[in-house]
Amino acid sequence: PDPVPVRESLDAVMERLSGASVSTIETVMDSWPAIVGHELGSATAPVKIAAGCLTVRTNDAIWATEIRWLEATIIEKVRALSDGSTIDRVHVVVRPGS
């Protein structure tokens, strides 16, 4: 068989493991402040994508509420930036002191 570019192999592995391509994961991680705004981006962090769910960590319940309120907007922006991401929900984890 012909050689397959490493990027394609990584995308296939990541799709099976997390349900998201490497490019979607990179887009979310690299563009987080652009997706949610600078202030919210500084107070929260995307930590994983699995089975269509983006998990976001924060250290304050107020920021968690804001993320929940913006869930549809976040999903829409991620889809637009990542060319059709499979993210369909956002889960927020509050860890004080993190």
Side-chain angles (χ1 to χ4, degrees), residues 20-75:
S21 68
V22 171
S23 61
T24 297
I25 294 167
E26 285 177 340
T27 297
V28 171
M29 298 300 174
D30 295 343
S31 304
W32 188 243
I35 292 168
V36 297
H38 181 70
E39 187 175 14
L40 190 55
S42 296
T44 62
V47 291
K48 76 176 180 177
I49 299 172
C53 181
L54 167 63
T55 300
V56 178
R57 184 191 71 234
T58 185
N59 62 2
D60 192 315
I62 292 170
W63 295 120
T65 300
E66 185 76 12
I67 289 288
R68 289 183 193 106
W69 187 73
L70 292 171
E71 180 177 22
T73 302
I74 292 168
I75 292 168

Side-chain angles (χ1 to χ4, degrees), residues 6 33 62 78:
V6 172
I62 292 170
V78 170

